[in-house]
Amino acid sequence: MKNDFVDYKLLQAQIQNLAKEDSWFVPLFSNVCALIMQTIPALNWAGFYIVKNGDLVLGPFQGELACIHIKKGKGVCGTALETNSTMLVPDVHLFAGHIACSALSKSELVVPLRKNGKVCAVLDLDSPQKNRFSESDKIEFEKIAQILESSVEFNSSF
């Protein structure tokens, strides 16, 4: 909803403060998901997929049940992993190879998080509304990814 006001500067500051509290990805990503769901209107899912053995495995999230494993190159999240780029999808039903984890999701924004240039996780946002995410949302969530990239601590290699 492009006309809804979201104070992204406040959201980013809150995420920076959460990262100062604990940089381990489990509590940090868990609280970031809760904060996003409380702050961003018209979402039905917010969560992270973590890279494991070259594919994605479900991490902390808020929302309905989710796909546990996503292969590199499959669906929106797997494509973000493969291309190492943000995916803004206005209508997931028009995205070739979309994985329908939830029948309610109609649009999606997926932002990669990187360590040493390699994708280590993706932040996945789903909405029950088509065209929910704007280019401005994309830019602001890429800033959030940068905050997390500089803060997050994983205990495995990618």
Side-chain angles (χ1 to χ4, degrees):
M1 296 169 30
K2 297 170 179 83
N3 54 0
D4 279 346
F5 177 75
V6 174
D7 187 343
Y8 277 108
K9 290 199 184 310
L10 176 60
L11 178 61
Q12 291 158 1
Q14 291 170 314
I15 290 171
Q16 284 178 321
N17 285 331
L18 288 171
K20 289 177 188 173
E21 177 72 24
D22 195 326
S23 62
W24 188 41
F25 82 97
V26 174
L28 178 56
F29 286 2
S30 296
N31 274 330
V32 168
C33 291
L35 185 59
I36 289 170
M37 288 296 282
Q38 292 170 7
T39 305
I40 307 297
L43 295 182
N44 61 307
W45 203 89
F48 293 87
Y49 281 93
I50 313 302
V51 176
K52 182 178 179 187
N53 300 323
D55 292 323
L56 296 170
V57 66
L58 183 62
F61 74 94
Q62 296 239 333
E64 297 181 9
L65 291 174
C67 299
I68 296 174
H69 299 278
I70 299 176
K71 295 278 186 198
K72 185 176 188 176
K74 301 294 181 190
V76 180
C77 290
T79 301
L81 171 61
E82 183 175 62
T83 63
N84 193 358
S85 62
T86 299
M87 304 295 297
L88 193 161
V89 181
D91 184 346
V92 296
H93 301 294
L94 299 178
F95 186 87
H98 173 251
I99 301 169
C101 295
S102 169
L104 297 177
S105 295
K106 294 190 176 134
S107 62
E108 194 166 358
L109 177 63
V110 179
V111 183
L113 280 69
R114 301 166 186 91
K115 280 290 186 187
N116 303 319
K118 290 179 63 179
V119 178
C120 58
V122 298
L123 170 58
D124 181 18
L125 306 173
D126 292 5
S127 174
Q129 298 176 349
K130 288 182 181 178
N131 299 301
R132 164 59 189 90
F133 304 104
S134 66
E135 187 64 27
S136 176
D137 293 318
K138 174 183 177 269
I139 291 166
E140 296 301 333
F141 274 98
E142 288 173 337
K143 291 177 187 175
I144 288 169
Q146 291 173 348
I147 293 166
L148 294 171
E149 289 168 350
S150 66
S151 307
V152 73
E153 176 186 324
F154 290 96
N155 54 359
S156 63
S157 61
F158 305 99

